[in-house]
Amino acid sequence: SLALEIESATLAAKSQDPVQRVAAEELLSAIWVTYVETIQRPSSDVIYGYPTLTSRPTSPERVLSAAAAAPSLAQHLDGVASVNPIYNQLRDSAWTQIGGSPAAVPDRRLVMNLDRLRSLPRTERFALVNIANQTLTMYEGDKPVDSMKVVVGMQDLPTPMISSVIYYATFNPYWNVPEHLVRKTVAPNVLKNGVSYLTARGYQVMTSWAADATAISPDTIDWAAVASGQTRIRVRQMPNAGNSMGKMKFSFENGEGIFLHDTPTKEYFAKPLRTLSNGCVRLEDARRFGKWLLKREPVAPSTTPEQFVQLPVGVPVYITYLTAMESSGKIAFLNDIYGWDAGGRFKPLGAAASAARWCWRSTPRRGSR
């Protein structure tokens, strides 16, 4: 194995034979470059909201010159290998668990989880959603400062892994009803109960999916055609106590229409397995999360729908799938709820198709990010 080659090369480097020493140095240099390229490679299956969030591997020349110029080679190697605190803890615990043997083969799940963790920052103020245990944790530096339960996507509508940034909070949000719910729930109920079904729930029929769309009379809609799937329409729910977005939501670039939001369905948080959404992440305590983001009480500027409030500074958000977690030096494995450890993969839909499958976000005001 590669680890055994490293051990052999290290022993050869101590030899007095100059040929062996040169060969060992060349091998160790090549292996170090490969290692650095590996830990700097973007995580697999992660949607990056912005190109700047994708790590850029250092050239082999710069990797070696930096090592050669370091006052302390040992400190330099430790510094480069320190990907981020959570990654480091899992990696070190895994190394301890296999007894530090170069011949040992690590558990495949550990390797997959380390790959997912590479997308996190070294030290920063960020929010981490772990789909596997349906929890959101707020970090400051390398320390968790708060956490809460969340609801994530169902097995057939999984929440994807995302690396992005939250720049604003939306108070009094609309809920744009996903197309499949308009077809399967809204339209049949309008046919059965009349437009009073819409009025009682604060639903509006909109002219389009554009940001400047206006409401139109539901009497102009062929609801039988909507129910059969022949006609597609946009239905949104005004802010109210029953609005599925609750009192606030937190959007971020990802191309799949995924965001974090409040919810009136609080009873879901009592369930041990909370894979119950269409893909978006529902927060147990959106007010508390909003206070952490805004660094003040999250108060809506007015009762007007869709009030965008800029954060003092953008906060990175990472949605990942950690099924291996370090705890007190030991590793605990969680259930592979989506089957991604067993070889399953998330299939991105893209913004155009996400309206039908996910929770569909309203278009943010220009310049609000």
Side-chain angles (χ1 to χ4, degrees):
S1 70
L2 186 59
L4 290 174
E5 282 189 64
I6 295 173
E7 188 174 52
S8 177
T10 302
L11 291 173
K14 298 177 181 179
S15 168
Q16 297 302 313
D17 185 340
V19 175
Q20 281 192 319
R21 295 185 65 178
V22 170
E25 183 174 340
E26 289 178 349
L27 177 61
L28 289 171
S29 296
I31 290 173
W32 175 244
V33 168
T34 301
Y35 173 74
V36 174
E37 288 176 341
T38 299
I39 63 173
Q40 292 182 348
R41 187 184 306 136
S43 298
S44 304
D45 299 325
V46 172
I47 297 170
Y48 290 92
Y50 301 95
T52 53
L53 296 175
T54 306
S55 59
R56 299 177 181 179
T58 308
S59 68
E61 293 78 11
R62 294 188 64 180
V63 170
L64 294 177
S65 61
S72 169
L73 182 59
Q75 289 182 3
H76 174 75
L77 300 186
D78 285 344
V80 173
S82 181
V83 179
N84 62 64
I86 305 175
Y87 179 101
N88 299 346
Q89 289 172 356
L90 184 62
R91 177 201 60 202
D92 295 347
S93 294
W95 182 247
T96 301
Q97 185 166 295
I98 63 176
S101 171
V105 178
D107 190 303
R108 180 173 178 271
R109 291 172 294 175
L110 283 172
V111 176
M112 297 180 74
N113 277 270
L114 287 171
D115 175 80
R116 293 163 187 158
L117 281 168
R118 287 204 309 270
S119 64
L120 271 63
R122 287 175 179 262
T123 54
E124 199 173 353
R125 189 170 188 265
F126 65 94
L128 174 67
V129 174
N130 185 5
I131 302 166
N133 65 1
Q134 303 97 61
T135 300
L136 178 146
T137 304
M138 291 152 268
Y139 282 84
E140 294 181 2
D142 60 350
K143 303 294 184 184
V145 295
D146 198 0
S147 65
M148 65 183 65
K149 297 176 182 177
V150 297
V151 171
V152 298
M154 296 175 277
Q155 290 185 348
D156 57 341
L157 295 169
T159 300
M161 292 187 285
I162 296 169
S163 174
S164 194
V165 182
I166 300 173
Y167 287 107
Y168 62 95
T170 305
F171 291 88
N172 311 324
Y174 294 118
W175 178 45
N176 288 281
V177 185
E179 185 185 335
H180 69 283
L181 293 182
V182 173
R183 184 176 67 254
K184 295 181 179 179
T185 303
V186 176
N189 275 290
V190 173
L191 290 171
K192 180 180 179 181
N193 303 306
V195 297
S196 61
Y197 172 83
L198 302 174
T199 306
R201 290 159 179 78
Y203 287 152
Q204 295 179 316
V205 180
M206 308 303 294
T207 54
S208 70
W209 279 269
D212 58 354
T214 57
I216 58 176
S217 171
D219 293 326
T220 64
I221 303 299
D222 183 346
W223 290 100
V226 174
S228 67
Q230 298 176 29
T231 299
R232 294 176 58 198
I233 61 170
R234 175 185 172 190
V235 175
R236 77 178 182 191
Q237 187 178 34
M238 296 291 288
N240 58 50
N243 185 297
S244 293
M245 295 292 101
K247 296 181 178 179
M248 64 188 80
K249 70 176 182 180
F250 309 96
S251 303
F252 44 89
E253 228 20 83
N254 59 81
E256 290 289 324
I258 300 298
F259 46 82
L260 312 182
H261 67 89
D262 190 14
T263 176
T265 316
K266 302 297 184 183
E267 60 269 23
Y268 283 178
F269 297 106
K271 296 180 178 292
L273 180 63
R274 297 179 294 279
T275 51
L276 302 162
S277 82
N278 288 328
C280 284
V281 179
R282 304 178 191 178
L283 302 170
E284 181 182 26
D285 193 337
R287 187 205 64 79
R288 197 168 87 232
F289 183 61
K291 182 178 180 179
W292 180 76
L293 288 174
L294 291 163
K295 299 183 178 181
R296 61 174 175 81
E297 284 296 328
V299 179
S302 72
T303 58
T304 303
E306 295 279 300
Q307 293 289 296
F308 299 98
V309 175
Q310 198 90 13
L311 304 189
V313 63
V315 177
V317 57
Y318 300 90
I319 301 179
T320 189
Y321 189 72
L322 301 181
T323 54
M325 303 184 69
E326 183 275 340
S327 178
S328 301
K330 296 183 179 180
I331 296 175
F333 287 99
L334 307 179
N335 289 334
D336 182 14
I337 57 174
Y338 286 168
W340 289 351
D341 286 353
R345 300 187 68 180
F346 171 76
K347 298 179 180 179
L349 296 176
S354 66
R357 188 175 182 185
W358 305 112
C359 4
W360 206 76
R361 64 184 178 191
S362 56
T363 304
R365 182 178 58 186
R366 186 179 298 276
S368 62
R369 289 197 296 274

mmCIF file with all atom_site columns, all heavy atoms in Angstrom, residues 68-85:
data_model
loop_
_atom_site.group_PDB
_atom_site.id
_atom_site.type_symbol
_atom_site.label_atom_id
_atom_site.label_alt_id
_atom_site.label_comp_id
_atom_site.label_asym_id
_atom_site.label_entity_id
_atom_site.label_seq_id
_atom_site.pdbx_PDB_ins_code
_atom_site.Cartn_x
_atom_site.Cartn_y
_atom_site.Cartn_z
_atom_site.occupancy
_atom_site.B_iso_or_equiv
_atom_site.pdbx_formal_charge
_atom_site.auth_seq_id
_atom_site.auth_comp_id
_atom_site.auth_asym_id
_atom_site.auth_atom_id
_atom_site.pdbx_PDB_model_num
ATOM 1   N N   . ALA A 1 68 ? 9.919   23.340 1.182  1.00 0.00 ? 68 ALA A N   1
ATOM 2   C CA  . ALA A 1 68 ? 11.369  23.568 1.248  1.00 0.00 ? 68 ALA A CA  1
ATOM 3   C C   . ALA A 1 68 ? 11.709  24.852 1.991  1.00 0.00 ? 68 ALA A C   1
ATOM 4   O O   . ALA A 1 68 ? 12.733  24.942 2.665  1.00 0.00 ? 68 ALA A O   1
ATOM 5   C CB  . ALA A 1 68 ? 11.952  23.604 -0.162 1.00 0.00 ? 68 ALA A CB  1
ATOM 6   N N   . ALA A 1 69 ? 10.841  25.857 1.876  1.00 0.00 ? 69 ALA A N   1
ATOM 7   C CA  . ALA A 1 69 ? 11.124  27.158 2.490  1.00 0.00 ? 69 ALA A CA  1
ATOM 8   C C   . ALA A 1 69 ? 10.635  27.266 3.929  1.00 0.00 ? 69 ALA A C   1
ATOM 9   O O   . ALA A 1 69 ? 10.936  28.246 4.615  1.00 0.00 ? 69 ALA A O   1
ATOM 10  C CB  . ALA A 1 69 ? 10.481  28.260 1.654  1.00 0.00 ? 69 ALA A CB  1
ATOM 11  N N   . ALA A 1 70 ? 9.899   26.271 4.406  1.00 0.00 ? 70 ALA A N   1
ATOM 12  C CA  . ALA A 1 70 ? 9.324   26.344 5.755  1.00 0.00 ? 70 ALA A CA  1
ATOM 13  C C   . ALA A 1 70 ? 10.420  26.288 6.821  1.00 0.00 ? 70 ALA A C   1
ATOM 14  O O   . ALA A 1 70 ? 11.308  25.434 6.744  1.00 0.00 ? 70 ALA A O   1
ATOM 15  C CB  . ALA A 1 70 ? 8.348   25.196 5.963  1.00 0.00 ? 70 ALA A CB  1
ATOM 16  N N   . PRO A 1 71 ? 10.387  27.177 7.829  1.00 0.00 ? 71 PRO A N   1
ATOM 17  C CA  . PRO A 1 71 ? 11.375  27.136 8.922  1.00 0.00 ? 71 PRO A CA  1
ATOM 18  C C   . PRO A 1 71 ? 11.344  25.808 9.664  1.00 0.00 ? 71 PRO A C   1
ATOM 19  O O   . PRO A 1 71 ? 12.374  25.294 10.087 1.00 0.00 ? 71 PRO A O   1
ATOM 20  C CB  . PRO A 1 71 ? 10.931  28.294 9.820  1.00 0.00 ? 71 PRO A CB  1
ATOM 21  C CG  . PRO A 1 71 ? 10.153  29.209 8.926  1.00 0.00 ? 71 PRO A CG  1
ATOM 22  C CD  . PRO A 1 71 ? 9.465   28.314 7.953  1.00 0.00 ? 71 PRO A CD  1
ATOM 23  N N   . SER A 1 72 ? 10.111  25.276 9.826  1.00 0.00 ? 72 SER A N   1
ATOM 24  C CA  . SER A 1 72 ? 9.953   23.964 10.465 1.00 0.00 ? 72 SER A CA  1
ATOM 25  C C   . SER A 1 72 ? 9.130   23.087 9.535  1.00 0.00 ? 72 SER A C   1
ATOM 26  O O   . SER A 1 72 ? 7.933   23.343 9.322  1.00 0.00 ? 72 SER A O   1
ATOM 27  C CB  . SER A 1 72 ? 9.247   24.097 11.823 1.00 0.00 ? 72 SER A CB  1
ATOM 28  O OG  . SER A 1 72 ? 8.872   22.823 12.312 1.00 0.00 ? 72 SER A OG  1
ATOM 29  N N   . LEU A 1 73 ? 9.749   22.055 8.985  1.00 0.00 ? 73 LEU A N   1
ATOM 30  C CA  . LEU A 1 73 ? 9.046   21.181 8.062  1.00 0.00 ? 73 LEU A CA  1
ATOM 31  C C   . LEU A 1 73 ? 7.901   20.458 8.767  1.00 0.00 ? 73 LEU A C   1
ATOM 32  O O   . LEU A 1 73 ? 6.801   20.326 8.207  1.00 0.00 ? 73 LEU A O   1
ATOM 33  C CB  . LEU A 1 73 ? 10.010  20.162 7.451  1.00 0.00 ? 73 LEU A CB  1
ATOM 34  C CG  . LEU A 1 73 ? 9.394   19.198 6.418  1.00 0.00 ? 73 LEU A CG  1
ATOM 35  C CD1 . LEU A 1 73 ? 8.786   19.968 5.253  1.00 0.00 ? 73 LEU A CD1 1
ATOM 36  C CD2 . LEU A 1 73 ? 10.445  18.199 5.927  1.00 0.00 ? 73 LEU A CD2 1
ATOM 37  N N   . ALA A 1 74 ? 8.130   20.029 9.990  1.00 0.00 ? 74 ALA A N   1
ATOM 38  C CA  . ALA A 1 74 ? 7.088   19.305 10.735 1.00 0.00 ? 74 ALA A CA  1
ATOM 39  C C   . ALA A 1 74 ? 5.866   20.193 10.941 1.00 0.00 ? 74 ALA A C   1
ATOM 40  O O   . ALA A 1 74 ? 4.720   19.759 10.739 1.00 0.00 ? 74 ALA A O   1
ATOM 41  C CB  . ALA A 1 74 ? 7.638   18.830 12.073 1.00 0.00 ? 74 ALA A CB  1
ATOM 42  N N   . GLN A 1 75 ? 6.080   21.453 11.350 1.00 0.00 ? 75 GLN A N   1
ATOM 43  C CA  . GLN A 1 75 ? 4.957   22.368 11.564 1.00 0.00 ? 75 GLN A CA  1
ATOM 44  C C   . GLN A 1 75 ? 4.247   22.682 10.249 1.00 0.00 ? 75 GLN A C   1
ATOM 45  O O   . GLN A 1 75 ? 3.021   22.808 10.204 1.00 0.00 ? 75 GLN A O   1
ATOM 46  C CB  . GLN A 1 75 ? 5.449   23.661 12.213 1.00 0.00 ? 75 GLN A CB  1
ATOM 47  C CG  . GLN A 1 75 ? 5.870   23.491 13.667 1.00 0.00 ? 75 GLN A CG  1
ATOM 48  C CD  . GLN A 1 75 ? 6.308   24.809 14.291 1.00 0.00 ? 75 GLN A CD  1
ATOM 49  O OE1 . GLN A 1 75 ? 6.249   25.875 13.668 1.00 0.00 ? 75 GLN A OE1 1
ATOM 50  N NE2 . GLN A 1 75 ? 6.767   24.737 15.537 1.00 0.00 ? 75 GLN A NE2 1
ATOM 51  N N   . HIS A 1 76 ? 5.025   22.798 9.176  1.00 0.00 ? 76 HIS A N   1
ATOM 52  C CA  . HIS A 1 76 ? 4.428   23.075 7.872  1.00 0.00 ? 76 HIS A CA  1
ATOM 53  C C   . HIS A 1 76 ? 3.523   21.919 7.428  1.00 0.00 ? 76 HIS A C   1
ATOM 54  O O   . HIS A 1 76 ? 2.397   22.146 6.972  1.00 0.00 ? 76 HIS A O   1
ATOM 55  C CB  . HIS A 1 76 ? 5.530   23.295 6.827  1.00 0.00 ? 76 HIS A CB  1
ATOM 56  C CG  . HIS A 1 76 ? 5.011   23.445 5.429  1.00 0.00 ? 76 HIS A CG  1
ATOM 57  N ND1 . HIS A 1 76 ? 4.395   24.598 4.987  1.00 0.00 ? 76 HIS A ND1 1
ATOM 58  C CD2 . HIS A 1 76 ? 5.002   22.570 4.367  1.00 0.00 ? 76 HIS A CD2 1
ATOM 59  C CE1 . HIS A 1 76 ? 4.034   24.438 3.720  1.00 0.00 ? 76 HIS A CE1 1
ATOM 60  N NE2 . HIS A 1 76 ? 4.391   23.222 3.329  1.00 0.00 ? 76 HIS A NE2 1
ATOM 61  N N   . LEU A 1 77 ? 4.018   20.688 7.571  1.00 0.00 ? 77 LEU A N   1
ATOM 62  C CA  . LEU A 1 77 ? 3.224   19.528 7.174  1.00 0.00 ? 77 LEU A CA  1
ATOM 63  C C   . LEU A 1 77 ? 1.947   19.432 7.996  1.00 0.00 ? 77 LEU A C   1
ATOM 64  O O   . LEU A 1 77 ? 0.869   19.150 7.460  1.00 0.00 ? 77 LEU A O   1
ATOM 65  C CB  . LEU A 1 77 ? 4.046   18.245 7.321  1.00 0.00 ? 77 LEU A CB  1
ATOM 66  C CG  . LEU A 1 77 ? 5.337   18.148 6.499  1.00 0.00 ? 77 LEU A CG  1
ATOM 67  C CD1 . LEU A 1 77 ? 5.948   16.759 6.646  1.00 0.00 ? 77 LEU A CD1 1
ATOM 68  C CD2 . LEU A 1 77 ? 5.090   18.460 5.033  1.00 0.00 ? 77 LEU A CD2 1
ATOM 69  N N   . ASP A 1 78 ? 2.046   19.692 9.297  1.00 0.00 ? 78 ASP A N   1
ATOM 70  C CA  . ASP A 1 78 ? 0.856   19.660 10.165 1.00 0.00 ? 78 ASP A CA  1
ATOM 71  C C   . ASP A 1 78 ? -0.141  20.738 9.754  1.00 0.00 ? 78 ASP A C   1
ATOM 72  O O   . ASP A 1 78 ? -1.359  20.513 9.743  1.00 0.00 ? 78 ASP A O   1
ATOM 73  C CB  . ASP A 1 78 ? 1.259   19.859 11.624 1.00 0.00 ? 78 ASP A CB  1
ATOM 74  C CG  . ASP A 1 78 ? 1.905   18.612 12.220 1.00 0.00 ? 78 ASP A CG  1
ATOM 75  O OD1 . ASP A 1 78 ? 1.757   17.526 11.624 1.00 0.00 ? 78 ASP A OD1 1
ATOM 76  O OD2 . ASP A 1 78 ? 2.557   18.736 13.275 1.00 0.00 ? 78 ASP A OD2 1
ATOM 77  N N   . GLY A 1 79 ? 0.365   21.920 9.414  1.00 0.00 ? 79 GLY A N   1
ATOM 78  C CA  . GLY A 1 79 ? -0.507  23.023 9.031  1.00 0.00 ? 79 GLY A CA  1
ATOM 79  C C   . GLY A 1 79 ? -1.258  22.748 7.739  1.00 0.00 ? 79 GLY A C   1
ATOM 80  O O   . GLY A 1 79 ? -2.465  22.979 7.640  1.00 0.00 ? 79 GLY A O   1
ATOM 81  N N   . VAL A 1 80 ? -0.559  22.228 6.747  1.00 0.00 ? 80 VAL A N   1
ATOM 82  C CA  . VAL A 1 80 ? -1.194  21.921 5.464  1.00 0.00 ? 80 VAL A CA  1
ATOM 83  C C   . VAL A 1 80 ? -2.220  20.794 5.628  1.00 0.00 ? 80 VAL A C   1
ATOM 84  O O   . VAL A 1 80 ? -3.295  20.818 5.033  1.00 0.00 ? 80 VAL A O   1
ATOM 85  C CB  . VAL A 1 80 ? -0.137  21.535 4.413  1.00 0.00 ? 80 VAL A CB  1
ATOM 86  C CG1 . VAL A 1 80 ? -0.811  21.054 3.130  1.00 0.00 ? 80 VAL A CG1 1
ATOM 87  C CG2 . VAL A 1 80 ? 0.775   22.717 4.114  1.00 0.00 ? 80 VAL A CG2 1
ATOM 88  N N   . ALA A 1 81 ? -1.897  19.822 6.452  1.00 0.00 ? 81 ALA A N   1
ATOM 89  C CA  . ALA A 1 81 ? -2.781  18.667 6.648  1.00 0.00 ? 81 ALA A CA  1
ATOM 90  C C   . ALA A 1 81 ? -3.997  19.003 7.492  1.00 0.00 ? 81 ALA A C   1
ATOM 91  O O   . ALA A 1 81 ? -4.943  18.210 7.555  1.00 0.00 ? 81 ALA A O   1
ATOM 92  C CB  . ALA A 1 81 ? -2.005  17.523 7.297  1.00 0.00 ? 81 ALA A CB  1
ATOM 93  N N   . SER A 1 82 ? -3.994  20.183 8.139  1.00 0.00 ? 82 SER A N   1
ATOM 94  C CA  . SER A 1 82 ? -5.127  20.591 8.971  1.00 0.00 ? 82 SER A CA  1
ATOM 95  C C   . SER A 1 82 ? -6.221  21.174 8.077  1.00 0.00 ? 82 SER A C   1
ATOM 96  O O   . SER A 1 82 ? -6.280  22.381 7.834  1.00 0.00 ? 82 SER A O   1
ATOM 97  C CB  . SER A 1 82 ? -4.675  21.624 10.001 1.00 0.00 ? 82 SER A CB  1
ATOM 98  O OG  . SER A 1 82 ? -5.757  22.012 10.823 1.00 0.00 ? 82 SER A OG  1
ATOM 99  N N   . VAL A 1 83 ? -7.089  20.338 7.553  1.00 0.00 ? 83 VAL A N   1
ATOM 100 C CA  . VAL A 1 83 ? -8.117  20.758 6.599  1.00 0.00 ? 83 VAL A CA  1
ATOM 101 C C   . VAL A 1 83 ? -9.150  21.649 7.272  1.00 0.00 ? 83 VAL A C   1
ATOM 102 O O   . VAL A 1 83 ? -9.450  22.749 6.829  1.00 0.00 ? 83 VAL A O   1
ATOM 103 C CB  . VAL A 1 83 ? -8.786  19.526 5.963  1.00 0.00 ? 83 VAL A CB  1
ATOM 104 C CG1 . VAL A 1 83 ? -9.872  19.943 4.978  1.00 0.00 ? 83 VAL A CG1 1
ATOM 105 C CG2 . VAL A 1 83 ? -7.739  18.674 5.256  1.00 0.00 ? 83 VAL A CG2 1
ATOM 106 N N   . ASN A 1 84 ? -9.741  21.167 8.341  1.00 0.00 ? 84 ASN A N   1
ATOM 107 C CA  . ASN A 1 84 ? -10.645 21.942 9.207  1.00 0.00 ? 84 ASN A CA  1
ATOM 108 C C   . ASN A 1 84 ? -10.832 21.127 10.481 1.00 0.00 ? 84 ASN A C   1
ATOM 109 O O   . ASN A 1 84 ? -10.555 19.916 10.496 1.00 0.00 ? 84 ASN A O   1
ATOM 110 C CB  . ASN A 1 84 ? -11.986 22.266 8.515  1.00 0.00 ? 84 ASN A CB  1
ATOM 111 C CG  . ASN A 1 84 ? -12.782 21.029 8.142  1.00 0.00 ? 84 ASN A CG  1
ATOM 112 O OD1 . ASN A 1 84 ? -13.219 20.271 8.990  1.00 0.00 ? 84 ASN A OD1 1
ATOM 113 N ND2 . ASN A 1 84 ? -12.963 20.828 6.833  1.00 0.00 ? 84 ASN A ND2 1
ATOM 114 N N   . PRO A 1 85 ? -11.264 21.757 11.573 1.00 0.00 ? 85 PRO A N   1
ATOM 115 C CA  . PRO A 1 85 ? -11.322 21.038 12.856 1.00 0.00 ? 85 PRO A CA  1
ATOM 116 C C   . PRO A 1 85 ? -12.154 19.764 12.849 1.00 0.00 ? 85 PRO A C   1
ATOM 117 O O   . PRO A 1 85 ? -11.757 18.757 13.449 1.00 0.00 ? 85 PRO A O   1
ATOM 118 C CB  . PRO A 1 85 ? -11.921 22.083 13.801 1.00 0.00 ? 85 PRO A CB  1
ATOM 119 C CG  . PRO A 1 85 ? -11.519 23.400 13.206 1.00 0.00 ? 85 PRO A CG  1
ATOM 120 C CD  . PRO A 1 85 ? -11.592 23.189 11.720 1.00 0.00 ? 85 PRO A CD  1
#
